[in-house]
Amino acid sequence: MGRIRETAGGLALTLPSVALNGVLVYVVIVGFGLWAAIIMLVLWTGFGCGMASALWFHPNRGRAAAAYGFRKPVGSEPDILATAWAEVTRKAGVDGWPYSLWVQQSATFNAFAAPARMVAVTSWAIESLRPRQLAAVLAHELSHHLMLDPRVRLLDAWFSVPTRVVRGIGAVPARAARGPGTLRCLARAAIATALLVAVAFFLTPRIGGPAVAVLIALLVLEPLTAAARARRGEFAADRMAVHLGYGRELHGALRRWLPHETAHTSALLAARARWLDTHPPIRQRLKVIRRTAAT
C-alpha cells in the first residue's frame, strides 16, 4: 500500500509539468500559426535527436561533463573514488563500469547523478569525508540512477524542453534583481507577476481567456510541483542508500555539512525555500535516514 501511495504521489506531481508542455505547444499552434508550430516541432525533434546521440548512442562524456562544470579526477582522487565506487556497486549488485566518475571543484558539499550515467562529487567531499562517508554519498547518487531508467531520464529531459525554455526566458529579467535576500526575493516576485500579466495581455486576443487562465495557473503551479518531485527523489535516494547499508555513514556525512547550511533570515526566504528548493533541508533528511534505519 505504501509503494502504491508513493507511486501515485510521484505521478500526481508530474501532471502539471506534462500539462504545461501540452499547453505551450497548443499556444504556439493556435496563437502563432501552423508554420511556427512546424518550426518549433522541427527544432524540438532535432534537439531530442542530438541529445539522444550525445548522451545515449554516442556518448561524449567529456563534453557533457564540461557542460555541467565537472572535471576529471586528478592526483589521488581517481583511486579514492574508484575504491569507494567498487564497494558501492558491489553492495548494490550492479556493474559499475558503465558509469563514469567526475569531480566538481567546489568548497561545498554536493554530489550529482547526471545523464549518460555520470556521477560527480565535489572536491570538498573527497578531501573532507571519511572513505565510508564518501561511499555513502556515491550510494545516494547511484540510487538516483537505479530508480529511473536512463532512457526514461532522457525522454523526461526531452519532453520538458518547452517548459525549460519558458523558465529560462522568465529567469533573464529576474537575474537583474539585486540587494539583500528578502528584497531580492520580493523584486523577483514582482518581476514574475509583471511577466504573467504581460503574457495574459499578449495572448488573450490570440488563444482566448480560458486558455490563458489555464496557462497562467500552470506557470505558477509547475515550479512548485517540480521542486516537490525533486525533493521526493532526494528522500527516496537517501532511503535506498540506507537499505544498501550506508545509513550511519550518510547520516554522518550530512551532519558534517549541517553547520554550513544556509540559515534563512526571514519568513519569506524560509517559505520560498520550503516550496521551491529542489533539495530538502539537511535536518529533514537526517530524520528520514534515522527513521528508515530504524524500520
Side-chain angles (χ1 to χ4, degrees), residues 199-275:
V199 167
F201 181 80
F202 178 74
L203 289 180
T204 298
R206 288 173 165 79
I207 64 174
V212 167
V214 172
L215 174 63
I216 297 300
L218 288 172
L219 287 172
V220 173
L221 180 63
E222 194 274 338
L224 301 176
T225 56
R229 191 175 66 205
R231 292 193 296 271
R232 285 171 62 94
E234 292 301 316
F235 286 133
D238 284 342
R239 287 192 290 267
M240 185 175 287
V242 173
H243 294 318
L244 290 176
Y246 290 102
R248 183 173 62 180
E249 291 79 11
L250 184 58
H251 191 280
L254 290 170
R255 280 184 62 87
R256 294 281 300 271
W257 189 251
L258 183 58
H260 303 279
E261 189 173 45
T262 302
H264 298 293
T265 56
S266 71
L268 177 63
L269 292 177
R272 183 189 183 282
R274 179 180 180 183
W275 293 104

Side-chain angles (χ1 to χ4, degrees), residues 51 71 74 81 98 108 114 117 120 128 162 180 194 201 209 213 225 241 251:
M51 183 174 62
R71 62 167 174 80
V74 297
L81 289 173
T108 62
R117 292 192 174 103
S128 304
F201 181 80
T225 56
H251 191 280

Side-chain angles (χ1 to χ4, degrees), residues 52-71:
S53 176
L55 297 179
W56 183 259
F57 295 109
H58 307 92
N60 188 327
R61 287 173 171 166
R63 289 185 180 179
Y68 279 96
F70 304 154
R71 62 167 174 80

